[in-house]
Amino acid sequence: AWNDSGAFASTGSFSGFGSSQDYGQTWTDGGSFPNGPGPDRNYGDPSLAWSVRDQAFYYAALSDLGLSLWRSNDLCRSFTYVGPIHVAGGAEFDDKELIAIENNPANPRYGRIYVGWTRFGAAPDQNQTTYSDNGGVAWSAPVSLPGSGTNGQGVWPAVAPNGDVYIALLNRSFVVGGLQDQWIYRSTDGGNSWVKRTDIASGQLRPENVAATVNCGRQALNGNIRNLSSPQIAITRDPSAPAGYVIHATYPYDSDGAGPDNSNVFYRRSVDGAASWSAEVKLNTDLTSTDQWFPALAAAGPRVRAVVGIGE
């Protein structure tokens, strides 16, 4: 699932999708993503997740209404509209929704779909979550992440093996040379309430190229690449860990200040439910002027894989 502006002028859809039926060896571009009925067009920033209970892929995206959901029962060859996740009103608008699904049949909330997003215009805390237990037909009332304020963005949800839910996000800086933090929240009651845990990292120099930031009017890297330096998390079962699972986190920042590049990527892990974090590990080993950004993370058992964007 990706942003795709190619067909926007003709279809009004701002998302694309693709699928592989041979374990990733070859891929088929699905073309322009279908819009919802009436005024509910797809406006991009898609998030895709698999539901074991429903044997379906769910695809969330920005829409005319705010946030909306689509579903595929044919392994992402096609999608059908389910309905709105959240309807934004007045001066508010929704941005950068991401989804996660409870896929452990042993847990009482098996099949629950969690969505986190930034609700610009909401006060005092604009980062919110909601959930659905019936495949996106109905959603819970939005709940704000307490203390997330108006600087947080880039929420990333993940579900632990015991049903605990986590949301990681960036506490942004809005000034050149400012410092950023990587925050994380936990819910032990299925997303009805949230508690801020120990920061994944804090006091980081935000990654940017000053000239590019000036050109773009917002935080950007060399080449005028817009950059939201938010974290991503994944969770794996580990009976030897105090929490019974391990939280893996990756994130970017400018670690060398006046060094040759403006962005490097790092990894940390927590074995105690985000009460504490391991020492930081730098993932890229280059000594060049090349930036690394937008790291993505996947984990299964003891193995963790990270994918990193590399630029000029």
Side-chain angles (χ1 to χ4, degrees):
W2 58 84
N3 280 353
D4 190 343
S5 60
F8 181 74
S10 59
T11 69
S13 175
F14 217 95
S15 287
F17 69 105
S19 64
S20 173
Q21 312 302 326
D22 56 10
Y23 304 99
Q25 295 183 68
T26 60
W27 290 82
T28 300
D29 187 336
S32 181
F33 199 81
N35 287 310
D40 205 19
R41 293 170 297 177
N42 183 305
Y43 272 146
D45 282 5
S47 179
L48 187 67
W50 168 254
S51 171
V52 174
R53 185 195 70 181
D54 300 343
Q55 291 292 289
F57 279 98
Y58 287 100
Y59 186 114
L62 307 182
S63 69
D64 280 300
L65 295 178
L67 306 174
S68 294
L69 189 73
W70 285 257
R71 173 174 172 150
S72 174
N73 290 100
D74 59 4
L75 299 179
C76 293
R77 294 180 176 90
S78 64
F79 285 85
T80 58
Y81 180 79
V82 178
I85 298 169
H86 176 256
V87 177
E92 298 177 356
F93 70 95
D94 298 328
D95 198 19
K96 291 180 177 61
E97 87 305 321
L98 289 165
I99 64 176
I101 299 177
E102 170 57 84
N103 281 325
N104 186 349
N107 288 336
R109 294 179 285 271
Y110 180 48
R112 177 169 290 185
I113 305 172
Y114 295 95
V115 178
W117 76 98
T118 301
R119 185 177 176 181
F120 287 113
D125 301 312
Q126 66 182 16
N127 297 281
Q128 298 191 322
T129 67
T130 184
Y131 62 80
S132 173
D133 289 322
N134 57 5
V137 176
W139 294 87
S140 64
V143 174
S144 293
L145 300 178
S148 63
T150 58
N151 289 354
Q153 198 177 7
V155 298
W156 188 277
V159 184
N162 70 343
D164 291 347
V165 190
Y166 288 85
I167 292 277
L169 72 158
L170 174 72
N171 179 37
R172 297 179 296 170
S173 168
F174 289 91
V175 298
V176 173
L179 301 181
Q180 65 181 28
D181 309 302
Q182 308 289 353
W183 286 350
I184 188 165
Y185 286 77
R186 181 176 71 180
S187 174
T188 58
D189 60 4
N192 291 299
S193 63
W194 297 86
V195 174
K196 188 174 183 293
R197 303 293 282 169
T198 301
D199 292 354
I200 300 170
S202 60
Q204 305 168 333
L205 181 61
R206 75 176 197 170
E208 66 186 330
N209 176 277
V210 175
T213 293
V214 172
N215 289 341
C216 293
R218 59 187 295 169
Q219 183 181 338
L221 294 172
N222 187 32
N224 296 329
I225 300 170
R226 291 169 48 183
N227 182 34
L228 178 66
S229 43
S230 53
Q232 189 181 116
I233 57 174
I235 305 176
T236 54
R237 185 186 304 276
D238 187 346
S240 68
Y245 53 82
V246 178
I247 307 170
H248 309 272
T250 185
Y251 49 88
Y253 73 101
D254 188 350
S255 60
D256 51 19
D261 59 15
N262 301 124
S263 184
N264 294 305
V265 297
F266 298 85
Y267 167 85
R268 273 185 169 155
R269 57 189 276 148
S270 174
V271 299
D272 54 12
S276 64
W277 293 88
S278 67
E280 189 174 75
V281 177
K282 184 180 177 183
L283 297 185
N284 56 287
T285 58
D286 68 296
L287 298 175
T288 69
S289 59
T290 301
D291 293 326
Q292 286 79 30
W293 79 100
F294 286 164
L297 184 72
R303 179 167 293 179
V304 184
R305 296 184 184 274
V307 178
V308 180
I310 300 175
E312 298 178 352

